[in-house]
Amino acid sequence: MRTTSILIVVVAMVMYATSASATRCGDLMGHQLWHTTVEDGWEPIVNINDDHIQELGDWAVLEFNKHVNCTVKFNKVLSGRQKHVSGMNYELIIDVTHFGGEDGNYKAELYEQELTKKRQLLSFTKVK
């Protein structure tokens, strides 16, 4: 009886996990929420190796992993630009390693308001 109950719980968990909507690895997550041109106030991030910028990239990858059916590992932020708003909008090009060992680049768009410690991942898309 106990084995049957455990089996039922496991089957229910598997059914839930496979039916939950999730993004496949490399699919678009989120939407393009603003027009990102230099004319719109975007400026290049001067020190891409800044600890805060690298930490933002790592955070974006962790957030992406929460919503996809794969796992990617943060390597480093390669380039990016920023725009002052009520906080800061960032567009980062991030180098990652896929679970299978293959490297790839993604563009993460995120919003951060340091004063309130608010962060939001707006989109995360594979760069081709």
Side-chain angles (χ1 to χ4, degrees):
M1 180 69 171
R2 180 170 166 81
T3 304
T4 304
S5 298
I6 291 172
L7 182 59
I8 290 172
V9 169
V10 169
V11 168
M13 288 173 34
V14 168
M15 288 176 59
Y16 174 76
T18 57
S19 69
S21 66
T23 306
R24 290 187 323 252
C25 200
D27 286 352
L28 174 69
M29 184 189 121
H31 307 285
Q32 179 84 17
L33 296 180
W34 66 84
H35 187 58
T36 56
T37 63
V38 174
E39 297 83 38
D40 287 338
W42 287 92
E43 55 190 54
I45 297 172
V46 179
N47 183 5
I48 204 67
N49 295 317
D50 179 77
D51 288 343
H52 183 69
I53 299 300
Q54 293 298 316
E55 193 272 326
L56 282 174
D58 187 38
W59 176 85
V61 169
L62 292 172
E63 284 296 302
F64 174 68
N65 284 335
K66 291 178 184 178
H67 303 281
V68 294
N69 286 330
C70 70
T71 302
V72 294
K73 179 182 139 309
F74 172 77
N75 292 329
K76 65 181 176 179
V77 176
L78 300 172
S79 63
R81 57 187 186 167
Q82 60 193 9
K83 179 179 181 179
H84 290 277
V85 288
S86 61
M88 186 73 81
N89 285 333
Y90 293 95
E91 183 180 272
L92 305 174
I93 303 300
I94 302 171
D95 177 45
V96 303
T97 301
H98 291 265
F99 182 72
E102 159 191 339
D103 285 348
N105 294 336
Y106 284 79
K107 178 173 77 170
E109 295 178 346
L110 56 120
Y111 169 77
E112 179 185 48
Q113 194 172 46
E114 282 193 87
L115 201 58
T116 61
K117 304 295 183 206
K118 177 183 177 180
R119 284 185 181 167
Q120 182 178 8
L121 182 61
L122 304 173
S123 71
F124 196 91
T125 54
K126 189 169 181 107
V127 177
K128 296 180 180 175

